[in-house]
Amino acid sequence: MVKYVYSPHYRVDIGPHVFPTVKYDLLRRRLIDESGVPEEHFVEPEPATAEQILGVHTPRYYAACRDSALTFDEQHRMELPWSADLFDAATRCVGGSIMAAHLALDFGVGLHIGGGFHHAFADHGEGFCVFNDSACAIREVQAERRIERALVADVDLHQGNGTSAIFTNDDTVETFSIHQELLYPFPKPPSTVDIGLEPGTDDATYLNLLETHLVPLIDSHHPDLLVYVAGADPYHDDQLGMLGLTINGLRTRDAFVCNLCLDRRLPLVVVLAGGYARNVEDTVQIHLGTLQEAALLWNEN
């Protein structure tokens, strides 16, 4: 029985902003109306505990977020208007990715309608990201001794700089990022494997590079868990990027990664990350395809 990790608290009022927090509600509704997902298949996470967040983030940064004591520069770097609601959503999002990791280890796939905030570093947030939920989820299941090794496969438009920095010099976690090169963030802390793409990169070129570089990394690292940061923003009509992928190409990307995990019996966590299409319904359609492809793994197991 497929479960979707979701919280209505993810929709935070951040005013006129390129990040469409409404997408989470729209995606839930599309899953119900078009995929026939019953209401009871949506599971709401509890906020992550301080201990779970401190498995990755520094005490000073966590306390500043909790107490709404971030400096102006820290808030500016995050590019979000700070509020208690934003802190609540961020802690719930960490809890959601931890829940998705547990589902993946129990059933093969964990689907999070949220998450993927890969620009958050241990000691600060940036790029619309408060806490690095993927890193927190990995650290939690490592602490529980449910896994030893993990791999983060990040296909968001932007390089996962926070994730890469958090896991630098950690042989238990490999990081993979395929992204537009001449684009935020600058600088880019090195991932285990970075694939920087030129503007206009099309479906065929992208998919060939993804297969060429991701497959050998999985096969050499032998992870116990794969966290898939499945950004919708490589789309050709995204407001923040200049890649050339189509909706069909992005769904082919998702099917490829999901089938890699299926073939290797590798538990898969899906987090959604970014998506800033001019038409928010395009972003929702891309995320919907990601979740539908991953949900197929439940039917195969």
Side-chain angles (χ1 to χ4, degrees):
M1 179 171 57
V2 180
K3 297 288 189 182
Y4 296 84
V5 180
Y6 160 84
S7 173
H9 297 276
Y10 293 167
R11 183 177 179 178
V12 179
D13 182 4
I14 55 175
H17 197 284
V18 72
F19 191 99
T21 64
V22 68
K23 73 179 183 178
Y24 303 121
D25 292 349
L26 294 174
L27 185 54
R28 177 182 177 277
R29 178 47 54 188
R30 290 278 298 273
L31 285 164
I32 293 169
D33 292 346
E34 298 178 25
S35 298
V37 176
E39 293 272 3
E40 60 268 22
H41 286 202
F42 295 93
V43 291
E44 185 171 355
E46 293 294 324
T49 65
E51 182 180 13
Q52 289 170 327
I53 295 172
L54 291 170
V56 168
H57 294 284
T58 64
R60 188 217 63 82
Y61 175 58
Y62 173 76
C65 292
R66 180 196 62 206
D67 300 336
S68 294
L70 294 165
T71 67
F72 174 81
D73 287 343
E74 287 176 315
Q75 294 182 52
H76 185 263
R77 191 173 193 177
M78 202 178 291
E79 301 179 72
L80 291 170
W82 189 257
S83 67
D85 287 344
L86 187 61
F87 175 74
D88 178 67
T91 58
R92 289 177 188 271
C93 190
V94 174
S97 287
I98 291 171
M99 178 181 280
H102 288 154
L103 288 169
L105 293 169
D106 289 341
F107 302 108
V109 185
L111 306 181
H112 189 186
I113 303 176
F117 292 102
H118 59 165
H119 299 311
F121 286 69
D123 62 352
H124 71 272
E126 62 178 69
F128 316 156
C129 300
V130 180
F131 298 129
N132 197 307
D133 55 285
S134 298
C136 290
I138 289 170
R139 288 300 189 223
E140 178 68 11
V141 291
Q142 284 182 325
E144 294 168 349
R145 300 188 182 279
R146 297 200 65 184
I147 70 166
E148 292 183 6
R149 304 170 69 78
L151 190 149
V152 180
D154 191 331
V155 298
D156 191 88
L157 171 71
H158 305 94
Q159 195 242 18
N161 57 338
T163 309
S164 296
I166 286 166
F167 293 120
T168 296
N169 300 321
D170 182 347
D171 292 338
T172 69
V173 182
E174 303 288 270
T175 52
F176 172 93
S177 182
I178 181 168
H179 51 265
Q180 186 175 327
E181 181 64 22
L182 298 178
L183 193 68
Y184 170 88
F186 299 107
K188 296 175 173 61
S191 310
T192 309
V193 174
D194 280 303
I195 309 299
L197 303 174
E198 296 293 327
T201 297
D202 61 14
D203 291 340
T205 303
Y206 182 101
L207 294 167
N208 179 64
L209 288 168
L210 179 65
E211 179 175 2
T212 299
H213 295 278
L214 181 57
V215 172
L217 181 61
I218 292 174
D219 290 342
S220 63
H221 183 60
H222 304 295
D224 305 309
L225 181 73
L226 187 143
V227 178
Y228 183 41
V229 184
D233 40 5
Y235 179 48
H236 67 81
D237 200 33
D238 193 89
Q239 296 177 79
L240 299 186
M242 293 177 286
L243 298 183
L245 276 73
T246 66
I247 289 177
N248 286 339
L250 289 163
R251 181 147 185 165
T252 302
R253 171 201 73 177
D254 298 332
F256 171 74
V257 173
C258 290
N259 279 293
L260 275 180
C261 293
L262 177 62
D263 291 345
R264 289 156 177 77
R265 313 298 293 180
L266 174 58
L268 170 66
V269 177
V270 175
V271 294
L272 295 184
Y276 316 97
R278 287 173 177 81
N279 181 352
V280 70
E281 292 294 344
D282 286 346
T283 295
V284 172
Q285 183 64 44
I286 294 164
H287 286 324
L288 180 66
T290 302
L291 295 171
Q292 288 173 334
E293 290 297 330
L296 292 174
L297 299 192
W298 241 294
N299 298 326
E300 296 288 344
N301 285 323

